[in-house]
Structure formats: structure tokens, C-alpha cells
Amino acid sequence: MPDLLDEAAVAGRLKELPGWSLDGREIRREFEAPSFAAGIELVVAVAADAEEANHHPDIDVRWTKVTFTLSTHSEGGLTHLDFDAARRIDGLAVEHGAR
């Protein structure tokens, strides 16, 4: 299993991911999609990526706003898996026109 990151490592990795914020033992980011359908397409793309990586975000959809929350539940906090997933989510959001 991946190792938990300490506070300094989490802070350093967050600096590399604009828009993501720390919320307790999770990182979170909200995206604004150009439409509800585009937001759902983003969710589908992230779901496919998550299945491939076997690391799944919590996802909340509110009309055109899509929020992704990441933590490594099995470890009780943040690991490199969460930051890797956040980076991939950022790329998918760009591809789907979300900001």
C-alpha cells in the first residue's frame, strides 16, 4: 500500500495543483463545465480513468458544477495516488472545457 504523505509533502504537492485545496484528510476541487451534459461527460471520463488506475474520487454534480474529492481511504489520508489522480482530473477537465 502507498505511504501516507506528511503535512509538508501535502503542502508541496498542493502548490503544484492550482485550484485544489486541502480539507482535512482530503483534497478537493470544483470545476465549472460549459453545460450539464459536458459535466456528465467529464464525470464519465474521470470514472474510466479511475477504474483504470483503481483509485476512485468522490464526485458531486450540481448542474454545471462538478466537485472531485480525493483521499486514499484504505490508508486514512493522502498518498501520492491522490495527487496523481488530481493531475489526471485536471487534464480531463481541460479536454472537456471545464474550468
Side-chain angles (χ1 to χ4, degrees):
M1 296 311 290
D3 293 330
L4 284 175
L5 299 173
D6 64 22
E7 287 182 30
V10 168
R13 293 206 180 202
L14 273 176
K15 287 180 184 177
E16 299 168 3
L17 292 168
W20 288 87
S21 61
L22 182 63
D23 185 8
R25 295 180 179 182
E26 304 172 326
I27 57 172
R28 171 174 295 136
R29 182 169 180 189
E30 180 181 273
F31 292 92
E32 178 80 29
S35 66
F36 177 75
I40 296 303
E41 289 171 7
L42 173 58
V43 168
V44 170
V46 169
D49 177 79
E51 281 293 298
E52 192 172 310
N54 194 29
H55 192 68
H56 305 85
D58 292 332
I59 302 171
D60 182 61
V61 179
R62 309 284 172 132
W63 190 41
T64 59
K65 292 184 173 149
V66 182
T67 304
F68 298 96
T69 304
L70 292 159
S71 70
T72 303
H73 300 292
S74 62
E75 299 304 307
L78 293 163
T79 69
H80 74 90
L81 296 174
D82 303 303
F83 291 91
D84 295 347
R87 198 169 277 106
R88 291 192 309 275
I89 290 169
D90 283 348
L92 290 166
V94 169
E95 289 177 22
H96 288 83
R99 58 183 201 299

